C-alpha cells in the first residue's frame, strides 16, 4: 500500500482504537477527514515537530475539537512527543490526550477547541497576527514572519454565528494566508444536516470575499493537494476548501450520525480494519515501515526551521533594532511598569472609561506589541491607541483594529492574536455585551491567555439607553468564572492598578469602567493591586465595614463622614478586584476585613450574589437584583437606593441589629 | 405636499425633536428609514391600532432597537395610544418611551430590542409560530392565522452572528412570510462600515435560500412599495429587502457617523426642518391635515380585524373542536398540573436529563401548544417530544424543532415563538453552552417570557469531554440574572416540581440536569416547588446544616447518616431553586435554615459564589472554583473532593470550629 494511504489509515485506526478503549469519543470526523489532515501536515504545512514553538511555523487549529483523536494521531505520527501510551490513555485522568484539544497541555496543540465555531475565529486572529507582524518586521530578503494559518471546521462550526462573524471580518481584512477546511460530511447529531442547514456555504463564503475551492471527494488526496496549493497561491483573500467527505468512512456505519459521538464497538472496528486493509493485528500498532516513513518525513520538515534560524541570525545583523524589537515582542513576561509615575498621576473627576483610555494609551507607548480595538464602539469605550495607526488590508502594521459589531468574534480573534505569540491583545465593548463574547472569554481563561477586556458603561450609570444596555448580573457572572480577574476601579489610580495587575496575569482580565464621572481618592494607588484595601479608615476599632467597588465607593466615602459625625466608626474598603483580594494571604485579608466585625455593608450597582462572601449572614447589601430602566442615570441611582442617605440609614440599622 | 411624504417627514421631525429634548438618542436611522417604515405600516401591514393584541396581526420587530423613536413616532401617528406627551418624555423615568423598545411596556411594541441582531432571530421565531399555527389550525376557507412578520435591521444587526444563524435556519425552514428590511446606510459608530464589513450581504442571503430584493434609494416610496409586494408574493422563501439609505437624511450631517447616536443640536434641527419643508413652527407639532389623514388611514386598517372576527365566529361553528383548541393555545395561564400523579411517580436511579425528558413528554401530552427542540443535541438532551412529529418545511405542524448547531438563535427564536402568542416554547443544549445563548435568555427575562431552557450535562459529571464541556460558573451566572429561575433538581420528583413551577412563571426557567444517574428520595415531591426544603431532618436541634442541589444531594444524605452515627445532628436541605426559595416568606425560610445554626456546609459541583448567602462567614463550601478536566466523571468527583468522606470531614471540622 502507498505510504501516504497507510498513514491516513493509521490515523483512522489509532483514532477508533483509542475511542474504543476510552469508551467515549468521536470517531466520525477522524475517519472522514484523515486524508486532508494527513496531506496537509505531511506535504504542505511548514512545521518542525522537534520544536512546536518555532515562531514562524504554520498554525493548525482543529475547530471541530471533538475530533481530537485526529489531532492526537497526527501528533503521534509526526513525533510531537505523544507516545502510544498517551493514545491509549485518551480521555483519562491527567493524560496528555484529553477529550478536546487543550493548548498548553499537549505539545503541538495550538488552541483549545471544542466549543464549536470558535476555532475558525481563533484562526482568524492568528492569521491577523501573522499579517501584522509580517508587515512590521519583514524586510527585503527577510520574510521572518511568513506562515499560513489553517483551520479544520465541521458542519457545526459552520452553523455557529461566531464563525460567520469572524469569516466576514477575515474577508474584509483580506487575510490571504488563512485557509479553512470545511469538512462537509452532511451529518450532525440529529441526523442529516439538511433538517436545519440547507444553505449554500460556498456561496456564503464567496459573499464574504473569500476564495472557495471545492473538493468533491474527501478521499481524493491529489485533489486535496491541488486545492491546498491553489489556496496558498491566492494571497489577496482567505480561502475556504470545501471538502465533501463521509462521516465514519471505512466503517459499516459510514454516513450515519451514529458514528459521530460514540465508540464503534469491537465488531465494527474489526470490519473497519478489514475494509481499510489494515496490516496490523494488534490494537494500537502501526507497521514498522510507516514509522520509518514518518521519521524521514519529519526529518525533512525540520530543515525549514534550520533555514529560518539562519535568516534570523542575518536579520539580527542587518536590522539589529528591528531584531531587538521583534524579540521584545516575543517576551512572555510583561515589563514591570508599576514604578512609572505616569500611571499614578490621575487627579480630579473623570469617568473610569476615560482614565481607562488614558492608561491604555500609556501602555501603548510602553509595550512594543499591544494590539486591539472595539466592536464598533471605540469612541464610547475610549479604546483607541491614539499614537498608533489603524490596521487595514492596505497596511497591516496598524495596532488599532476595527472589529465591527461582532463581540464574540472579536474576543475569539483576540485569543488568536494572543495565542499566536508576539502580541498582547485587548478588546472593548459595552459591559452588558460581555454576554455576547463570554464563550470566547471562557476560552481565554481556559488557555491562560492575558487578553484584556475593556468593558465600559458598567451599570445603571448607562442611564437613558435603558435595561437592555444596563449590566446587572455581569459582574457576578464574570467573577464566578475561573481564572478571570474582574476589575471595577473606583478612580484613575485604581484603573492604572487594574491594568498593571492585568499585565502579569496568566489569564484574561476585565476592566469594568463607568460611563459617568467619578471623584478620585487620595489613598488609592498601587495598593489597589492587592484587590481590596482600606481606602479610608475610622478612628479606633471599626463598628462597621463599608465595602464597595467602582462608582459606589463615592457613596461609602461620604457615608463614612456622616456616620462619624453620629459617632459610628466605619471603615471604608475599596474592592476593585475580588480575585486579587482572595489571592492575598489570610493576615492581609483579615487586616482589611477583621473577622470580629460583623456589621458589614456592601454597596454595588449590580447583583448582590458576589458580596455575601464578605458580608455574611449578619451583613447587608445595597445592590441591584432586578433590571434597570431608561432614565437619566442620577435618577436611577436615587430610585434604586444608591444614595448616601440610604447607605447611612442601612448602616445604622445594621449596627443596631448587630449590637442587639 | 403629498400626505405620505408629510407623514414620513413627521416621523423624522418627531424623532429629532424628542432626541433633542431627551439630550440623548439615535436620530440617524429614524431619519434614513422613515420612508420604508411608514410605507410598510400605512399600506402593507395588516394591523389594527385599536387592538394591538389582535391575534392575526402582522408583526413588526425593530431589530435596530436604538432607532426606537422611529417606532414611537409610528405608534403615535397610527394611534396606538402614545401621546405627544409621551414623545416629549422620551427616555425619561417611568415614561412609555424608553431608550430601546420594551415589550409589555409600550402598546404595539412586539419585542424588546436593542442588543443587535436578536430582533431578526426573534422575528424568525414569530414567523415560525405563524407557520406552525397556520398549518395546525387553518382549514379550507378559514385562514385564521395568516400574517406576515417584518423586521427592520441595520448594519450592526447584519454583522452579529446571531442574525446569520437565524437567517440560515429561516432559509432551511422556508419561512416565506418573513420579510426583513436591511437598512444599509453604510455607516456605523467607528465610521464607514467598510472598515470592517465589505461582504456582499445580498449574496449571503441568497446563499441562505432567501429571495433578495434591492432598493437603491431608501427615499423611493414607489420602489419600496413594489419591493414589499414582491416580498409578500414569494411565499416559498423568506425575503430580504436590501434598502440603501442615507443615515441622518435631511440633516446637514447626513451620511456621517455623528448622526448615529447623539442629538443633532438646535441649529441642525432648524436646518433639517427647512430642508424637509416642514410646515410647523413649534417643536412636537404635526399639521392638522396629517392628523386627519392618519385618522382615516387607521380607521380603514381596523376593518381587517372586523372581517377576521367574523371569520372566527364562523370557524367556531364549523370547527368547534379546533376552535376550542385554538383558544386554549392562546390562554396565557398554564393549567395547574401539580395534582396529576404521573408527575410524582418517579422511583429508582436515573439521570435527571432522563427524568427531564419524561416530564417534558408528560407536559407535551397535557399542554396543547408546547413546541421546542435542541441545538442538535436532542438525543443527549432527551428533549424530543416522542408523541409529536418533527416540524419541517413540508409540514409545519410538527412540534419538535431541529434548531441546528445554533444555540443563540435557538433561544432568540424561542423568544419569538413565545412572544408571538399561542405557543409555549422550550429549547435545549449542554449546560456549558448556555454561555452561547445567554444574551437571548436575558431578553426572555426582560420580556417576562416563560421560555424553558433544558440544560443538561450540568457539571464535571460530563466526564471525558473535559473542561470545555464542563460547566463551572454557569449556575452562578444564571442565578445572578434577574427574573430567571434556575432549577437544579436532585431526582425525578424534583424535576417534575421544577417544570411545574416553571409553567407558572412570568419569565424564563432553566432546568439544569445531570448526565449521570442519581438516586431518588422519598421525601422529594411538590414541596420542591418552594425552592428549598428539609429533605431529611435530624433528631432534635441540628448542629449543622448540609445544603446541596442536584447530584450533590446524594453526598449530603449519605454524610448525614455517617455524622449521626458519630453523634452529630445534621439537617439535609435540598435547594433545587434559590430564586423560589427566596420568594418564600421569612418564616418558611427560617424554618428550613434556622438562623441560629451557624455551622453550614454547602455542596455543589459549581462555583461557590451563590452559596455564601446561605453559609455566611462561619460556614464552608465544597464547590468548584477552577476548571475541570477530561476523565471519567467519578474520578473527577473524587479528585475534587466531592466524596462522602470529604463532606463528613469538612462538616466535623466546621462543627468543631463553631463550637470553639
Amino acid at each position: 500500500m502507498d505510504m501516504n494511504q497507510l498513514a491516513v489509515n493509521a490515523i483512522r485506526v489509532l483514532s477508533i482504537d483509542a475511542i474504543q478503549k476510552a469508551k467515549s469519543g468521536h470517531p466520525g470526523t477522524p475517519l472522514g477527514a484523515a486524508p486532508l489532515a494527513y496531506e496537509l501536515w505531511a506535504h504542505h504545512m511548514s512545521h518542525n515537530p522537534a520544536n512546536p514553538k518555532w515562531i514562524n511555523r504554520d498554525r493548525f487549529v482543529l475547530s471541530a475539537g471533538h475530533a481530537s483523536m485526529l489531532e492526537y494521531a497526527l501528533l503521534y505520527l509526526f513525533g510531537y512527543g505523544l507516545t502510544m501510551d498517551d493514545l491509549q490513555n485518551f480521555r483519562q485522568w491527567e493524560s496528555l490526550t484529553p477529550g478536546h484539544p487543550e493548548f498548553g497541555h499537549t505539545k503541538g496543540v495550538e488552541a483549545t477547541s471544542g466549543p464549536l465555531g470558535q476555532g475558525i475565529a481563533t484562526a482568524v486572529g492568528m492569521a491577523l497576527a501573522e499579517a501584522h507582524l509580517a508587515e512590521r518586521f519583514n524586510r527585503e530578503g527577510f520574510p521572518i514572519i511568513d506562515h499560513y494559518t489553517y483551520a479544520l471546521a465541521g458542519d457545526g462550526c459552520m452553523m455557529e454565528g461566531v464563525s460567520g462573524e469572524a469569516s466576514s471580518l477575515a474577508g474584509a481584512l483580506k487575510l490571504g494566508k488563512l485557509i479553512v477546511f470545511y469538512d462537509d460530511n452532511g451529518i450532525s447529531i440529529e441526523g442529516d444536516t439538511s433538517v436545519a442547514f440547507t444553505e449554500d456555504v460556498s456561496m456564503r463564503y464567496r459573499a464574504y470575499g473569500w476564495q472557495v475551492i471545492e473538493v468533491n471527494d474527501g478521499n481524493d488526496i491529489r485533489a486535496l493537494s491541488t486545492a491546498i496549493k491553489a489556496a496558498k497561491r491566492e494571497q489577496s483573500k482567505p480561502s475556504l476548501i470545501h471538502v465533501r467527505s463521509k462521516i465514519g468512512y471505512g466503517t459499516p456505519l459510514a454516513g450515519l450520525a451514529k458514528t459521530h459521538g460514540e465508540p464503534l464497538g469491537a465488531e465494527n472496528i474489526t470490519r473497519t480494519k478489514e475494509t481499510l486493509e489494515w496490516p496490523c493485528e494488534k490494537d494500537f500498532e502501526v507497521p514498522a515501515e510507516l514509522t520509518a516513513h514518518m521519521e524521514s518525513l519529519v526529518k525533512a520538515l525540520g530543515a525549514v526551521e534550520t533555514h529560518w534560524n539562519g535568516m534570523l541570525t542575518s536579520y539580527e545583523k542587518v536590522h539589529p533594532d528591528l531584531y531587538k524589537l521583534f524579540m521584545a515582542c516575543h517576551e512572555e513576561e510583561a515589563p514591570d511598569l508599576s514604578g512609572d509615575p505616569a500611571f499614578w498621576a490621575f487627579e480630579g473627576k473623570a469617568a473610569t472609561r476615560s482614565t481607562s483610555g488614558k492608561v491604555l494609551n500609556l501602555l501603548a507607548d510602553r509595550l512594543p506589541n499591544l494590539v486591539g480595538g472595539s466592536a464598533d464602539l471605540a469612541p464610547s469605550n475610549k479604546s483607541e491607541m491614539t499614537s498608533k495607526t489603524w490596521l487595514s488590508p492596505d497596511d497591516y502594521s496598524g495596532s488599532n483594529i476595527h472589529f465591527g459589531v461582532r463581540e464574540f468574534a472579536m474576543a475569539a480573534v483576540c485569543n488568536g492574536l494572543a495565542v499566536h505569540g508576539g502580541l498582547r491583545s485587548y478588546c472593548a465593548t459595552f459591559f452588558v455585551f460581555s454576554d455576547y463574547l463570554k464563550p470566547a472569554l471562557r476560552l481565554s481563561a481556559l488557555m491562560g491567555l492575558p487578553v484584556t477586556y475593556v468593558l465600559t458603561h458598567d451599570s445603571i450609570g448607562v442611564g437613558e439607553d435603558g435595561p437592555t444596555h444596563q449590566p446587572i448580573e455581569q459582574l457576578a457572572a464574570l467573577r464566578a468564572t475561573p481564572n478571570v480577574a474582574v476589575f471595577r476601579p473606583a478612580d484613575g489610580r485604581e484603573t492604572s492598578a487594574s491594568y498593571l495587575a492585568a499585565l502579569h496575569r496568566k489569564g484574561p482580565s476585565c476592566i469594568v469602567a463607568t460611563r459617568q464621572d467619578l471623584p478620585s481618592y487620595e489613598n488609592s494607588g498601587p495598593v489597589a493591586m492587592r484587590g481590596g484595601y482600606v481606602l479610608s479608615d475610622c478612628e479606633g476599632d471599626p463598628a462597621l465595614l463599608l465595602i464597595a467597588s467602582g462608582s459606589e465607593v463615592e457613596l461609602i466615602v461620604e457615608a463614612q463622614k456622616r456616620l462619624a459625625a453620629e459617632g459610628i466608626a466605619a471603615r471604608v474598603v475599596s474592592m476593585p478586584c475580588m480575585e486579587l483580594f482572595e489571592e492575598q494571604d489570610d493576615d492581609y485579608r483579615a487586616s482589611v476585613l477583621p473577622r470580629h466585625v460583623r456589621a458589614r455593608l456592601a454597596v454595588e450597582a449590580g447583583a448582590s450574589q458576589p458580596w455575601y462572601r464578605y458580608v455574611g449572614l449578619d451583613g447587608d447589601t445595597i445592590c441591584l437584583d432586578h433590571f434597570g430602566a431608561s432614565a437619566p442615570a442620577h435618577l436611577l441611582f436615587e430610585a434604586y437606593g444608591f444614595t448616601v442617605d440610604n447607605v447611612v440609614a442601612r448602616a445604622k440599622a445594621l449596627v443596631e441589629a448587630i449590637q442587639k
Side-chain angles (χ1 to χ4, degrees), chain A residues 312-428:
Chain A
L312 192 68
T313 306
S314 312
Y315 183 77
E316 182 178 4
K317 286 180 195 137
V318 182
H319 301 288
D321 291 345
L322 269 178
Y323 172 84
K324 235 185 268 175
L325 193 63
F326 182 75
M327 296 317 279
C329 285
H330 285 83
E331 280 292 332
E332 247 185 58
E333 283 303 316
D336 182 359
L337 300 169
S338 60
D340 186 334
F343 288 97
W344 312 113
F346 295 98
E347 293 296 342
K349 280 184 103 64
T352 46
R353 66 167 163 154
S354 298
T355 48
S356 163
K358 286 180 185 160
V359 176
L360 191 62
N361 275 280
L362 291 175
L363 290 176
D365 294 338
R366 286 158 178 78
L367 300 173
N369 58 355
L370 192 60
V371 296
S374 165
D376 195 44
L377 290 169
S380 296
N381 299 142
K382 312 291 182 194
S383 55
E384 183 182 347
M385 297 179 285
T386 51
S387 62
K388 308 281 176 171
T389 59
W390 287 88
L391 184 149
S392 82
D394 300 323
D395 183 356
Y396 291 109
S397 73
S399 300
N400 290 295
I401 302 168
H402 292 291
F403 286 108
V405 187
R406 309 177 178 107
E407 297 82 8
F408 189 1
M410 168 176 74
V413 167
C414 279
N415 286 340
L417 289 166
V419 80
H420 176 276
L423 296 172
R424 301 186 71 89
S425 62
Y426 70 90
C427 60

Side-chain angles (χ1 to χ4, degrees), chain A residues 35 62 69 83 122 134 181 195 284 388 415 462 525 579 588:
Chain A
L62 185 69
M69 263 313 302
T83 65
T122 308
F181 294 90
V195 297
F284 295 103
K388 308 281 176 171
N415 286 340
V462 165
E579 294 81 10
Y588 176 76

Side-chain angles (χ1 to χ4, degrees), chain A residues 20 252 264-274:
Chain A
Q20 183 68 17
L264 297 174
E267 169 65 22
N268 285 322
I269 288 182
T270 304
R271 289 181 55 195
T272 304
K273 290 182 181 175
E274 283 166 19

Side-chain angles (χ1 to χ4, degrees), chain A residues 46 269 286 499 559 586-587:
Chain A
S46 169
I269 288 182
V286 295
Y499 272 97
D586 287 358
D587 286 351

Side-chain angles (χ1 to χ4, degrees), chain A residues 526-549:
Chain A
V527 62
M529 288 194 258
R530 304 195 79 161
Y533 64 103
V534 180
L535 178 67
S536 168
D537 211 354
C538 49
E539 289 189 33
D541 200 37
L544 170 76
L545 304 178
L546 296 170
I547 322 169
S549 81

